[in-house]
Amino acid sequence: REPCHLRVTVARSGAGGATTFDFNGREVQQEMHIEGERERLKHSVLPHEVTHTVFAHHFRQPVPRWADEGGSVYSEDDEERQRHDKLVVQVLNSGRGIQLKALFRLKEYPRDVMTLYAQGYSVSKYLVEKSDRPTFLNFVAAGMQKGWDAAVNEFYGFKNVEDLEAQWIA
């Protein structure tokens, strides 16, 4: 209902954004700042930050980091998604991956934030493509309310998060 305050900085180097939310009862207040080259802003940074906004308004509460960042990367352009596809393989092959049962419980960003982004994106992509976006959103809502084992069983037919992890890695 209220406009989102958006600050845009066009810059030649680097790209990024930040959207902050205040979950004040049923109303969600937010501010967004994006920075980078015009093309990166249009094709990656803005879609990423808008997805955070959609999730915040849909769930009306903080979204688990893996789903929030993973779903937001999923909304970016092909170049950025391909970069994260390669990164998650490197992360897992190097042993830096986070077990999904731990990843799903994260409330704050880990030290290796790119692992969160890469794994969150990869798992989000896997689940959306296994079914569809509405199922993914319902899964995240159920996971936050009932627990992740119950949610993966209800929406995707996996026994538990460990079963999901084995299938996702395969």
Side-chain angles (χ1 to χ4, degrees):
R1 295 181 190 174
E2 296 295 319
C4 171
H5 297 279
L6 170 61
R7 185 167 42 106
V8 179
T9 305
V10 178
R12 291 193 188 273
S13 62
T19 304
T20 57
F21 300 97
D22 180 9
F23 296 96
N24 185 7
R26 296 296 295 164
E27 292 299 317
V28 179
Q29 297 175 342
Q30 67 189 66
E31 290 188 18
M32 185 185 301
H33 174 231
I34 59 174
E35 182 174 328
E37 296 177 10
R38 287 184 196 276
E39 290 304 305
R40 298 295 303 144
L41 291 174
K42 287 192 309 190
H43 299 292
S44 284
V45 180
L46 186 58
H48 183 108
E49 297 305 321
V50 167
T51 302
H52 288 311
T53 300
V54 170
F55 283 170
H57 285 268
H58 178 80
F59 292 107
R60 303 245 177 245
Q61 63 179 317
V63 180
R65 294 289 185 202
W66 72 271
D68 196 25
E69 295 300 349
S72 295
V73 170
Y74 194 63
S75 71
E76 295 187 45
D77 64 5
D78 290 341
E79 179 182 334
E80 196 61 31
R81 289 193 307 268
Q82 289 169 1
R83 190 172 76 79
H84 279 79
D85 283 332
K86 290 177 184 171
L87 181 58
V88 76
V89 171
Q90 292 171 354
V91 163
L92 295 175
N93 286 339
S94 70
R96 292 185 356 246
I98 302 169
Q99 287 186 319
L100 294 190
K101 64 183 178 183
L103 184 73
F104 285 6
R105 288 192 311 261
L106 282 179
K107 301 237 188 278
E108 300 301 326
Y109 288 98
R111 279 191 181 169
D112 187 357
V113 71
M114 289 313 295
T115 293
L116 169 77
Y117 276 68
Q119 276 190 245
Y121 160 68
S122 184
V123 172
S124 297
K125 175 184 172 185
Y126 176 77
L127 294 173
V128 167
E129 292 177 1
K130 187 163 182 53
S131 187
D132 55 31
R133 285 176 171 90
T135 301
F136 177 74
L137 292 174
N138 290 330
F139 160 70
V140 172
M144 290 190 297
Q145 293 174 343
K146 302 177 191 176
W148 297 105
D149 284 333
V152 296
N153 183 264
E154 179 180 348
F155 290 95
Y156 295 102
F158 295 110
K159 289 184 293 188
N160 53 33
V161 173
E162 287 85 0
D163 187 27
L164 162 62
E165 184 169 33
Q167 296 300 314
W168 164 67
I169 289 174

